[in-house]
Structure formats: structure tokens, C-alpha cells
Amino acid sequence: MTILRRLSGVLSVLILLVPFFLAQSTVCTAQEADRVYVNGNIHTVDEAFSTVSALAVKDGQFIYVGDDAGAQAHVGPSTFVFDLDGRTVIPGLHDAHVHIRYGERLLYPRTPDMRPSLGEWATVKQMQDFIRHCLATGEGMRPGPEPRWLVVGGWMSDVWDPPEFHKELIDAVAPDNPVYLVRYTHGSAANSMALELAGVTRDTPDPSGGHIKKDENGEPTGEFVERAPSQLMRLIPSLPPITDYEISRNLVEGTELALASGLTTIHGASMTGYDEIQRRIKLYEVGLLRIRINEMVHESAARRLGEPLNHDNKYFVRSVKAFADGALGSRGALFLEEYSDYPGYFGEPRQSEDQIAQSATELLPMGFNMRIHCIGDGANHIAINAWERALKATGIDGRDARFALEHCQMLIPEDIPRLLELGIVASMQPLHATEDMHFAEARMGSERLKTAYIWSDLIDLGVPMATGTDFSVSPYNPWYTLHAAVTRQDRENNPPGGWIPEQAMTREEALRAATMGAAYVMFAEDILGSIEVGKLADFVVIPVDYMTIPAEDIWKIEPDMTVIGGEVVYTRPIIEKN
């Protein structure tokens, strides 16, 4: 009996302790988080586009996404709990096509840009005033004997009235110095003195890959499409070589601007070389680079690497960048039919179908995809044909290849379904539509315009889409991209109702393209692009709800916080009011 009583007593104690042990077991199975964020409005951008109120992060990954009550299980003695106070959280934003020149263009420019601020275009008078200023101050003047060369950038005649450049516009304010103007993209111009010094006349042949524009009398206007004549370029004195320190400083300090805008991953579109790849790896190793970079490299760099590279999920190299044509504004985009406003001219081809097909066929088995600059319908057609040949030659499924048409601005109707059939990604820049709307119809005519900038049509078809800015062609601010995608308007809300509004994206579509779509094209959709358990903890905290704020105000959003891999890499400065 004594033994039975004792066993009974032990049993009673064990029964009483069962709830305690079960509770302890529950606590133990829930990981203690490094950080827990509660009381938020969190758009996860998962498949269901779920909205939750809390998330937990440990070792750089999301370990919980759900409600506040569930998050409490992940709060331990060392957990930092952050009250979002109702603020909105979205996944870290990507710029799927950017030339990483933030430092070079914005912080330490070597060539003056006449645009008063990014996204604003100089009028003729502003251009002339800028040139006067440079001549008076020496800004932009190249070293060398008199008369010294002036080199400045940022002009775009397409928004002028009339929308034409001619050398006399510069002659009027700079008759005694040779002047070379770098167009905002894919073109340039010069004044009469520069043409005379270089011996460029009506008889000068077009440079390889470029075009000398002529007036109705056959005389050079001073404008060059894509490439300027080599005899002129040789005369322009070079700037002092940029040092290794300056290159690294520009990259590190410049990408901090991107972090402050809410970008957590940027896709470099500048055909990066092997040596620069090694530089960037070293900057990551010493902790100076914090943003994730997905690099589009030069073909020679990919061949030298031999296989794709992933450095600590921070630096990705899996894509080869190439060009099939130039830009629409400069009339370098390659058309299958002549330009509506420049008869007899079709644009500038950069690579043939055979060249692209051969490169793709050789690179695919190595693990590299191709992302090709294609703006005109002719360039897109060439690339699509070439990639179809490469897929057949290698036997690789298009969804595994993930070729990307960078820009993908204009397509012929027959090519549209081929993107889906071949697994091709449309990597598009919404800001380009709101900039090109000033001249796009003049370049291609109303009929061809029906299959240009067709974001909604491609999304409805099921074509994967990634979005970016093409900085420094356009501003790097990702909220400008989201605004343009949703409204088809510029930041002055023009035109009313949007330009070709039926092709606008929904807010959900625009956010997916700037997160999951961009992660997909870099083969990283399993670790980036949404707020889901197991993925890397990249997210942005903003003070307003992107999904409900008036559409015209989306571009005004400024992040409160940017987080990469659980690390807070940017917080908005607190400005004290008097």
C-alpha cells in the first residue's frame, strides 16, 4: 500500500506537470527570433498576396509571418521587438535594369549633366544657358590648348518644339569653342566648330554602328545616332584616368542612395567585366557593399568564370548582357519598317540573329542566360528567333533558360505569344513609357504603337515580367517606377487618365514585377521577392499604404526603413522641428 500510495503521488505530480511540459515543448519548438516586427500592415506578395501584421527574423531569414499573437512564440530574452505602429511593410524592391552609376552621376560627376534634376529635360534655352555657364566657369572644359573642348551631357531634343536638334543652337552661344553634347542615351551632338575640326562633312560616311543625321540639303545637322564619327571622338581630350579608389568609392557610396530609396537588390546592366567582378567581391568580403547585386556581365567575363557565381547570396552572376539595337529617342531602335518620322531609316542593328544564337547556344550549357537590350520590333524579333534556335540546339526548356528582353518596348503581333511559348521574361521600364510618350507615335506611327509598351497584355498572357529604371537614363527611384506602372502618367499627372491607360498595371501587378518578377529572372525566386518563411529577410517599411494611397501620390513615398537579410541598412533621418 505504501508503494502504491507513493506511485499514486508521483503519478499525480506527473499529471499536474504535463501541461507545463507541453507548454515548454511548444516554446522550445518555436525559434527565438533576433527581431520581431508587430502591429504592421505587411503585404507579403506571396502567391495569394496575403496581408499579415507580424513577422519574425532569425539569422537573416524570415522564420514567422502571420499575426501578432503567433509572433509572441518567437520572442525570447534576446529578441528585439519592433512596433510598426500600423506602418506598411513590403518586400525589398528590385531594380531589374540599372547602370550602377549612382556615385559617378550623382555624387562625383566628371561630366556635367544639363538636366536640372533627374527626370527633367532641359529646354533649348536651358541648354544654351547651361553651355554659357560652363564656358564662363570652366565646368566641363577638357584639358588642352585653346580653343578648349566643352563636353556636357543630358540633352533630349524630343521634348522641344520643334523636336529637332541642329548645330546652330549651340553655335549661337559657343561660336569659338568646339562643343560635344552627350545625349541622355544612345546619341550625341556637336557644334559647327567641332565638325569643322574633325572634317565631318556631307560626304563623311556613317561610322560603324552609328549614323550622321543630315538635313534636307544633305548637310550634317550635328546630331549622331548611337556612335559619333571616330575622327571627331579622337580630337576630344580625355579626362584623367579614374583611380581604383574612386571607382570603389563611387560604387559603395552610390549604392547607399539606392538603399535609402527602398531598393534591396539591383540588376547591373552594364556588361561588367571580369576584373570589376573581382573588385565587387572584395568589397562584399570587407563589408563595404551592403545592397544585393545581380550582375549582367560581358560575354568574355562569363566565359572566363566558366560557371555562374553566387557570393554569399549577396552577389550573383548568372546573366550575360548584349545589345541588339539602340534607343527610340535617338532613332537607334531597330525597326522592321522605316521610321515614320525619318523615311528610309530603320535604326541601328548591334548583333545579328546568328551571333546571338551562337552565343546563347554556347552559354546555356554553362549555366548562363542572356539578357539583351531590345527596343524596336526588329531587335526583339531577332533576339526571339535566335533564342528559339538556341533552345532547340541545347534541348533546354525556355523556363529554365529564362532569357530576358531588356526593354521589350515594341513587338510585332506574331512575336507576342512567342514570349510565353519560349519562357522569355519581359524586363521593362515603366518610366520609359512616360518619357517616350512625347515622341513614340511620331517615331513608329499609330498602328505600330498598338503593340508597344504593352505591360497589361503581356501580364494577362502569363509572360513573366520584371521592372526597373534603366538609371541613369531615368531616375533610380523605384517609387517613380511603381507610379508610372500604375498610372501611365508622369509625376505631374500628365496626360489626364494616363497614356494608353488600358496597358497600365494594377498595384498588385506592379509590386509583383518589382519584387517576385525581378527575383525570377535572376533565378532567386526561392530566396527573394516575397515575405515568406525561409526566404531572406529583405523588406521595406513605409509610412503609408502603397495599396490604398492615391495613385498620383505613389511616387512621393519615402521609406522609413530598409532591411536586407534582417539587417537594418537604412533609417530615415529624424528632422526635429523648431
Side-chain angles (χ1 to χ4, degrees):
M1 291 295 293
T2 304
I3 294 175
L4 288 175
R5 284 197 196 97
R6 287 177 180 174
L7 288 174
S8 177
V10 171
L11 186 60
S12 298
V13 171
L14 288 175
I15 291 171
L16 289 171
L17 287 175
V18 166
F20 174 78
F21 286 130
L22 288 176
Q24 290 298 305
S25 175
T26 301
V27 171
C28 291
T29 57
Q31 284 184 289
E32 179 181 330
D34 298 324
R35 285 175 173 255
V36 168
Y37 294 79
V38 296
N39 192 23
N41 175 44
I42 303 170
H43 299 302
T44 65
V45 194
D46 61 6
E47 188 174 352
F49 208 84
S50 306
T51 299
V52 300
S53 63
L55 60 85
V57 177
K58 183 177 179 61
D59 296 332
Q61 293 182 313
F62 296 114
I63 61 169
Y64 173 81
V65 178
D67 60 23
D68 288 4
Q72 294 305 312
H74 299 277
V75 177
S78 301
T79 303
F80 177 81
V81 180
F82 189 94
D83 186 351
L84 290 164
D85 194 25
R87 286 178 291 185
T88 293
V89 177
I90 62 172
L93 295 171
H94 289 230
D95 189 328
H97 185 113
V98 58
H99 302 278
I100 310 175
R101 301 168 181 160
Y102 311 106
E104 174 189 342
R105 294 300 175 91
L106 301 176
L107 301 177
Y108 304 101
R110 282 157 56 92
T111 298
D113 192 315
M114 70 179 62
R115 289 175 283 183
S117 63
L118 268 295
E120 298 176 7
W121 305 109
T123 63
V124 171
K125 183 180 184 303
Q126 287 173 324
M127 177 188 73
Q128 292 175 327
D129 289 344
F130 190 84
I131 291 172
R132 287 192 186 97
H133 166 80
C134 290
L135 291 171
T137 62
E139 184 180 359
M141 301 295 289
R142 292 297 175 92
E146 298 293 340
R148 292 171 63 192
W149 281 76
L150 171 64
V151 179
V152 297
W155 68 279
M156 184 173 89
S157 59
D158 310 291
V159 297
W160 298 347
D161 186 15
E164 295 293 337
F165 174 89
H166 53 86
K167 56 186 180 293
E168 289 77 14
L169 294 174
I170 312 177
D171 296 343
V173 293
D176 302 320
N177 290 81
V179 178
Y180 180 70
L181 304 179
V182 181
R183 188 181 166 87
Y184 80 102
T185 178
H186 292 271
S188 58
N191 68 345
S192 293
M193 177 171 281
L195 296 179
E196 291 168 8
L197 290 173
V200 176
T201 68
R202 63 185 300 141
D203 299 320
T204 302
D206 284 338
S208 176
H211 174 65
I212 302 171
K213 289 195 69 177
K214 308 282 179 62
D215 62 21
E216 62 275 9
N217 298 316
E219 295 294 333
T221 65
E223 182 177 355
F224 312 115
V225 177
E226 293 296 317
R227 294 191 173 100
S230 58
Q231 61 265 44
L232 185 147
M233 298 305 296
R234 285 195 298 266
L235 295 179
I236 302 174
S238 300
L239 290 168
I242 189 168
T243 65
D244 284 342
Y245 164 76
E246 289 171 326
I247 295 172
S248 296
R249 175 204 63 190
N250 290 354
L251 179 63
V252 170
E253 293 186 20
T255 52
E256 292 295 304
L257 299 176
L259 294 176
S261 73
L263 289 166
T264 58
T265 303
I266 51 179
H267 299 215
S270 296
M271 301 175 72
T272 304
Y274 182 84
D275 290 343
E276 183 60 24
I277 292 170
Q278 303 310 310
R279 177 202 309 280
R280 296 181 181 190
I281 291 173
K282 290 178 181 176
L283 290 172
Y284 277 112
E285 289 175 342
V286 298
L288 289 175
L289 269 178
R290 301 194 294 170
I291 200 166
R292 301 189 201 275
I293 296 177
N294 176 53
E295 203 81 79
M296 303 180 219
V297 301
H298 193 279
E299 184 172 337
S300 62
R303 293 183 182 279
R304 187 170 176 184
L305 287 172
E307 62 182 4
L309 181 155
N310 179 348
H311 177 76
D312 196 27
N313 282 337
K314 282 291 187 73
Y315 190 58
F316 304 79
V317 178
R318 191 163 179 174
S319 298
V320 170
K321 173 73 182 296
F323 283 83
D325 66 348
L328 181 67
S330 64
R331 298 184 180 84
L334 183 64
F335 284 176
L336 292 172
E337 298 179 4
E338 64 185 10
Y339 275 77
S340 298
D341 60 354
Y342 199 39
Y345 186 64
F346 295 80
E348 292 298 326
R350 297 286 294 272
Q351 281 189 296
S352 70
E353 182 181 316
D354 287 345
Q355 289 172 318
I356 295 171
Q358 180 176 346
S359 292
T361 301
E362 294 172 357
L363 290 167
L364 271 179
M366 297 168 62
F368 293 98
N369 70 342
M370 292 190 77
R371 299 177 66 170
I372 300 186
H373 169 115
C374 298
I375 290 184
D377 58 359
N380 282 287
H381 186 65
I382 285 172
I384 294 168
N385 286 348
W387 287 341
E388 184 174 38
R389 290 165 56 183
L391 293 174
K392 288 180 179 178
T394 60
I396 294 174
D397 188 280
R399 289 166 296 185
D400 296 325
R402 298 188 194 182
F403 293 125
L405 295 168
E406 297 298 319
H407 310 305
C408 191
Q409 282 184 199
M410 180 185 172
L411 299 161
I412 56 173
E414 307 92 278
D415 280 342
I416 295 172
R418 298 177 71 197
L419 270 66
L420 182 64
E421 293 165 7
L422 300 174
I424 295 171
V425 178
S427 177
M428 306 181 80
Q429 297 73 46
L431 282 171
H432 284 351
T434 61
E435 294 161 349
D436 295 359
M437 64 184 179
H438 299 288
F439 54 82
E441 186 168 358
R443 296 283 189 276
M444 63 182 74
S446 59
E447 190 60 31
R448 287 186 288 190
L449 190 61
K450 293 177 182 178
T451 53
Y453 312 93
I454 52 171
W455 314 329
S456 182
D457 285 355
L458 292 176
I459 291 173
D460 289 346
L461 187 62
V463 174
M465 182 173 292
T467 54
T469 63
D470 200 12
F471 176 83
S472 59
V473 174
S474 302
Y476 69 88
N477 191 320
W479 306 101
Y480 292 5
T481 295
L482 291 167
H483 169 265
V486 171
T487 66
R488 303 276 294 201
Q489 293 177 316
D490 63 23
R491 292 177 297 285
E492 295 179 352
N493 301 315
N494 291 317
W499 184 62
I500 317 178
E502 62 270 21
Q503 292 297 342
M505 300 184 207
T506 67
R507 296 190 199 216
E508 179 180 319
E509 289 169 344
L511 187 55
R512 283 194 187 279
T515 53
M516 282 301 296
Y520 176 84
V521 75
M522 62 181 282
F523 298 85
E525 72 274 18
D526 291 337
I527 58 172
L528 297 173
S530 62
I531 299 173
E532 297 183 81
V533 172
K535 288 196 172 185
L536 298 175
D538 293 4
F539 59 94
V540 186
V541 180
I542 56 178
V544 295
D545 188 353
Y546 159 79
M547 293 298 294
T548 60
I549 188 176
E552 63 267 23
D553 292 333
I554 291 174
W555 69 271
K556 300 176 184 178
I557 295 175
E558 295 182 18
D560 285 338
M561 182 187 298
T562 305
V563 179
I564 295 181
E567 177 190 359
V568 177
V569 294
Y570 168 80
T571 54
R572 193 189 330 196
I574 298 174
I575 301 175
E576 295 184 3
K577 297 181 179 179
N578 295 328

